[in-house]
Amino acid sequence: MEELLARVTTRTGLDAATAQTAIGHILAFLQKEGPASEVGQLLAALPGSETLIAESNAGESGGGGLMGMLGGMMGGGGVMALGQKLMAAGVPMGQMQPLGQELFAFGREKVGEDAMGPIIGSIPGLNQFV
């Protein structure tokens, strides 16, 4: 996980704590929305990922203010909800794509395209961030 964090902070300019929180949100999202088998392979290849997901899920409160309410009216989730969580965690809009690109490049290095392709392909809108 340290290698991934270092790569994300270098690429995005985010501080380590923000990058760690953002990675946790993305992994939790993939676990919820992606194909279980392939996401399981990815998580198994990223030691510490389950801890980040648990921390991300522990921060869920169901509120979310105006953006959370708008997300709820628009179907309550998907990539848009993930983007809102990332912004709330301190990730600027302009850094979301580099963050996603680095995370997915790292994932491809660890588990290959056979696992990452189905993850990206199964979640509507995700391909714009990778």
Side-chain angles (χ1 to χ4, degrees):
M1 191 58 67
E2 281 77 28
E3 181 185 353
L4 175 58
L5 271 171
R7 286 174 53 169
V8 167
T9 57
T10 298
R11 174 93 189 268
T12 63
L14 296 172
D15 64 82
T18 301
Q20 186 168 322
T21 300
I23 291 168
H25 284 315
I26 294 169
L27 294 176
F29 173 78
L30 294 178
Q31 188 178 53
K32 179 181 175 193
E33 302 287 334
S37 175
E38 288 84 355
V39 172
Q41 291 175 46
L42 175 63
L43 298 180
L46 300 174
S49 60
E50 295 291 344
T51 301
L52 292 182
I53 291 170
E55 290 170 1
S56 173
N57 289 336
E60 296 288 300
S61 62
L66 179 61
M67 289 299 286
M69 192 167 63
L70 289 173
M73 292 188 311
M74 296 174 67
V79 172
M80 216 165 175
L82 174 61
Q84 199 249 316
K85 283 183 186 179
L86 293 174
M87 284 190 290
V91 179
M93 183 71 83
Q95 294 307 324
M96 287 184 196
Q97 188 173 33
L99 169 64
Q101 289 170 342
E102 200 60 44
L103 177 64
F104 281 86
F106 191 80
R108 283 185 183 97
E109 292 169 20
K110 297 297 180 188
V111 296
E113 187 60 32
D114 287 346
M116 296 307 293
I119 293 171
I120 296 164
S122 71
I123 301 173
L126 186 61
N127 60 350
Q128 66 185 322
F129 294 99
V130 301

